[in-house]
């Protein structure tokens, strides 16, 4: 059975709708340089630029042999078809994308993504041998009403319901309380630990204890270089999903160092 020490820490930068492809190239070059000098080989680090940057970033990573994993922020579940404006999981896999965020709260809110859509996307990511980062989390109102656990259980069950245990063990879940995103004040390490426990207990019911122990759980929401160590130090938390602070290579690198220092 896997234990925490078998789970490689993961630090993922969700750029959202920031950085055009020129800015993206500069950012990954600066980040890659810092990572090479810092010799950060015991933590996985991914960047998730907008779709229009992916090819440029892929080329930089390959040409310079930078130890960064390419990520995407979403995908469509069909491989191809009449879906104007969409990008398929298959297309991302062809670009060497390794991790895809699914079910981010901003997509659930602004693009109307239901739990069912999230499940379809997650299935497509796995079908193309990439790793989904499933985002789950409660709103401030749900938290105030004492519904945090129930919301997390629903989101995890609905996303993972049809996934085989062996595949489920390879997935990543990011606990992102919506009230802590982009506000400059993160949840506490205790909140992150409690959410991680809920996620693992659902996965354990769906796919068994060893899948639950193998799966990585991240925390996301106002992560910065100062709070990383305490959040990653929380029980059952294997890394962080970073929004705003991932746009600046120096800040993001300090977060990577913070996550790594605990291993
Ligand atoms: P934030 O965003 O770090 O800017 O709060 C996190 C996220 O939405 O993934």
């Amino acid at each position: 059975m896997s234990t925490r020490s078998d789970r490689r820490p993961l630090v993922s930068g969700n750029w959202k709708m920031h950085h055009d492809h020129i800015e993206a190239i500069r950012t990954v070059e600066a980040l890659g340089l810092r990572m090479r000098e810092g010799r950060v080989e015991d933590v996985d680090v991914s960047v998730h630029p907008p779709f229009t940057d992916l090819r440029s970033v892929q080329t930089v990573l390959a040409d310079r042999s930078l130890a960064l994993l390419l990520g995407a922020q979403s995908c469509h579940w069909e491989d191809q078809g009449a879906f104007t404006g969409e990008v398929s999981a298959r297309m991302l896999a062809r670009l060497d994308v390794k991790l895809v965020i699914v079910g981010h709260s901003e997509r659930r809110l602004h693009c109307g993504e239901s739990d069912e859509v999230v499940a379809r996307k997650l299935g497509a990511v796995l079908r193309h041998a990439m790793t989904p980062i499933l985002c789950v989390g409660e709103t401030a109102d749900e938290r105030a009403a004492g519904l945090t656990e129930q919301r997390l259980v629903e989101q995890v069950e609905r996303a993972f319901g049809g996934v085989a245990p062996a595949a489920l063990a390879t997935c990543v879940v990011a606990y992102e309380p919506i009230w802590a995103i982009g506000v400059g004040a993160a949840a506490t390490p205790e909140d992150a630990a409690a959410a991680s426990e809920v996620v693992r207990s659902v996965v354990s019911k769906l796919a068994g204890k060893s899948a639950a122990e193998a799966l990585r759980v991240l925390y996301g929401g106002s992560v910065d270089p100062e709070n990383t160590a305490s959040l990653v130090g929380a029980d059952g938390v294997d890394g962080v999903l970073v929004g705003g602070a991932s746009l600046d290579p120096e800040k993001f690198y300090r977060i990577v160092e913070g996550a790594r220092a605990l291993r």
Side-chain angles (χ1 to χ4, degrees), residues 150-172:
Q150 185 186 320
R151 189 69 194 113
L152 296 182
V153 170
E154 276 166 12
Q155 288 176 323
V156 175
E157 277 179 352
R158 290 175 189 167
F160 285 146
V163 178
L168 219 163
T170 69
C171 294
V172 176

Side-chain angles (χ1 to χ4, degrees), residues 14 16 104 106 176 180-182 221-223 241-244:
N14 172 15
K16 309 191 180 186
H104 191 282
E106 286 152 15
E176 295 212 315
I181 293 177
S222 298
V223 172
L241 178 56
V242 188

Side-chain angles (χ1 to χ4, degrees), residues 191-236:
D191 289 327
S196 162
E197 202 179 320
V198 171
V199 169
R200 286 210 165 80
S201 79
V202 177
V203 172
S204 181
K205 276 191 208 125
L206 291 173
K209 213 169 165 194
S210 68
E213 287 292 327
L215 165 127
R216 287 183 287 184
V217 179
L218 312 182
Y219 167 79
S222 298
V223 172
D224 62 30
E226 281 68 44
N227 61 24
T228 300
S230 65
L231 289 162
V232 176
D235 239 14

Side-chain angles (χ1 to χ4, degrees), residues 78-159:
E78 294 290 346
D79 287 353
Q80 58 188 3
F83 298 100
T84 302
E86 294 291 340
V87 173
S88 72
R90 179 178 174 277
M91 292 167 178
L92 298 177
R94 295 274 290 150
L95 270 176
D96 237 7
V97 166
K98 302 293 186 209
L99 298 111
V100 184
I101 296 169
V102 291
H104 191 282
S105 58
E106 286 152 15
R107 294 206 57 89
R108 293 180 191 258
L109 178 68
H110 303 305
C111 309
E113 283 188 13
S114 63
D115 288 329
E116 194 203 337
V117 163
V118 172
R120 277 195 227 161
K121 292 185 174 202
L122 191 131
V125 172
L126 288 169
R127 200 166 68 241
H128 289 286
M130 298 179 289
T131 301
I133 301 179
L134 168 69
C135 295
V136 297
E138 79 287 5
T139 62
D141 285 350
E142 285 164 344
R143 180 178 170 83
L147 296 173
T148 300
E149 181 168 342
Q150 185 186 320
R151 189 69 194 113
L152 296 182
V153 170
E154 276 166 12
Q155 288 176 323
V156 175
E157 277 179 352
R158 290 175 189 167

